[in-house]
Amino acid sequence: MGESDMRSMTEAEAEAEAEAESCFTDQSVAGGASLSQDWQKLSGSLETLEFRSNAGLRGGIPPGLALLSNLQSLVLVENSLTGQLPPELGNLVLLRRLSLTGNQLSGQIPAYNDWNELLILDLSRNSLSGPLPPSILSMNALLKLDRSNNQLNGQLPVAKQGSLTLLDLRNNNFSGVAGLAGMATLQYLLLSDNPLRANLAELGLENLRNLIALDLSSTSLRGEIPKTIAKLKRLRFVALNDNDLSGRVPKSLEDLTELHALYLSGNNLRGVLEFSDELYARMRSRFACRNNVELCYRARAASQRVAPPARVRRCWN
């Protein structure tokens, strides 16, 4: 499919959906193709627009897409799109899904204030920079927000209580957290590989009672692991490795009966691991606490049947 094919698409042919997958390869169109065309003729009918895995689909996202007033799903994934996000996309007030992952988009994210119907927003794996607009975390309908693997910076803004279940901001340059306590519906909090430099006990994690997965690895966290994490009874995955955490490992973490992965390696934790053999048996290699030089484990009578935590020294007193 070339540019001429795109221009010849009529409203009747498109009806309510347009989708193209792997149509624009580097070899299929000399010089590549773009999304530039007259979108006005599709403005009354198009509800879904998708272009996936087209290495030859280049150029920017045209502001003219904002003419598609009935658009509910815009998916431009794994293409070679460049440039900035058009502010005009904020006019797509019926949008429920926006996925632009895996392109080469850059610049700051506009403050989109009228996406009241948006459920899924995925801008991951681009080169977006600047702060995260507070309006994004204030969208009441938003369920999933993924902006991982970009160059975003600044503080994470305070989130107003909404419907958010997934917040994935891994591998950015965020330097602080204003507050997480308002995200009571959150199930997946993934913030690894950001220089947050926050005190773990001050993040308000105890308010996230629906949390299933917590990834705060490699975020320069300091302070002690709060015992209040044991209140998060739905937790299955916790990664706090490669930080500057200190103090003892709370035995109350064993009360998290759904927990099947706990990563605490590469900190400054000390004292004795007081966990039972049942926890080590349940987690096996998914429990990691190595590279905490002042930490040790106490062998128990049943320990011959259970492998001790790897690369953690045994207590002898």
Side-chain angles (χ1 to χ4, degrees):
M1 184 184 295
E3 281 187 294
S4 60
D5 299 312
M6 292 176 62
R7 293 193 185 98
S8 65
M9 188 190 305
T10 64
E11 182 172 342
E13 290 171 327
E15 294 182 346
E17 181 172 349
E19 181 173 352
E21 184 169 353
S22 301
C23 294
F24 307 106
T25 64
D26 284 331
Q27 293 80 23
S28 63
V29 181
S34 74
L35 290 172
S36 297
Q37 67 161 307
D38 183 9
W39 294 102
Q40 179 66 54
K41 57 189 177 183
L42 299 177
S43 61
S45 61
L46 199 64
E47 295 182 356
T48 299
L49 177 63
E50 299 193 7
F51 287 91
R52 298 174 181 266
S53 305
N54 296 287
L57 184 58
R58 300 170 180 158
I61 299 174
L65 289 179
L67 297 172
L68 303 174
S69 57
N70 287 321
L71 200 65
Q72 297 183 27
S73 178
L74 176 58
V75 178
L76 306 174
V77 170
E78 302 287 353
N79 300 296
S80 299
L81 299 174
T82 57
Q84 300 188 6
L85 295 174
E88 291 84 355
L89 292 182
N91 295 328
L92 299 174
V93 295
L94 299 182
L95 206 60
R96 297 170 65 85
R97 179 185 183 188
L98 176 62
S99 182
L100 305 177
T101 185
N103 286 285
Q104 301 165 30
L105 301 171
S106 59
Q108 297 195 12
I109 301 169
Y112 297 116
N113 296 312
D114 297 319
W115 284 345
N116 297 321
E117 305 295 325
L118 196 66
L119 301 175
I120 298 173
L121 178 56
D122 188 349
L123 304 178
S124 61
R125 292 188 292 118
N126 283 285
S127 297
L128 299 169
S129 58
L132 183 67
S135 59
I136 298 296
L137 292 178
S138 299
M139 295 178 182
N140 290 328
L142 192 64
L143 297 176
K144 298 181 178 181
L145 174 61
D146 188 347
R147 299 195 173 187
S148 60
N149 296 288
N150 279 283
Q151 299 169 21
L152 301 174
N153 54 40
Q155 273 207 338
L156 289 182
V158 175
K160 296 181 180 179
Q161 187 155 345
S163 305
L164 197 65
T165 61
L166 180 144
L167 178 61
D168 189 349
L169 299 174
R170 292 173 291 177
N171 195 24
N172 279 284
N173 294 311
F174 289 109
S175 57
V177 181
L180 298 172
M183 299 183 179
T185 57
L186 206 59
Q187 297 179 14
Y188 300 88
L189 177 59
L190 312 174
L191 301 179
S192 61
D193 295 289
N194 284 282
L196 297 179
R197 302 183 184 89
N199 189 308
L200 180 60
E202 296 175 359
L203 295 182
L205 295 177
E206 65 275 8
N207 297 296
L208 309 183
R209 299 300 177 91
N210 291 296
L211 207 60
I212 294 173
L214 173 66
D215 188 355
L216 295 174
S217 57
S218 300
T219 54
S220 299
L221 287 178
R222 62 183 185 276
E224 299 188 0
I225 301 174
K227 296 179 181 179
T228 51
I229 288 184
K231 295 180 180 180
L232 308 180
K233 299 300 184 182
R234 298 185 64 189
L235 270 178
R236 300 177 188 171
F237 176 95
V238 174
L240 299 174
N241 52 286
D242 299 304
N243 284 296
D244 297 316
L245 297 173
S246 57
R248 299 179 180 273
V249 179
K251 188 180 186 304
S252 57
L253 293 179
E254 191 166 1
D255 297 335
L256 298 172
T257 57
E258 298 294 322
L259 190 64
H260 285 81
L262 178 60
Y263 300 105
L264 301 173
S265 300
N267 283 286
N268 298 308
L269 301 170
R270 59 181 174 80
V272 180
L273 288 174
E274 300 285 356
F275 297 134
S276 68
D277 289 340
E278 287 75 11
L279 180 137
Y280 298 133
R282 183 174 80 229
M283 294 194 184
R284 299 187 179 183
S285 62
R286 296 184 299 273
F287 177 87
C289 213
R290 57 185 178 272
N291 297 332
N292 289 282
V293 295
E294 296 187 37
L295 191 67
C296 63
Y297 78 95
R298 180 168 288 128
R300 301 178 187 274
S303 293
Q304 293 181 355
R305 299 182 315 224
V306 178
R311 296 173 63 182
V312 178
R313 64 185 177 88
R314 181 175 175 178
C315 303
W316 293 101
N317 49 22

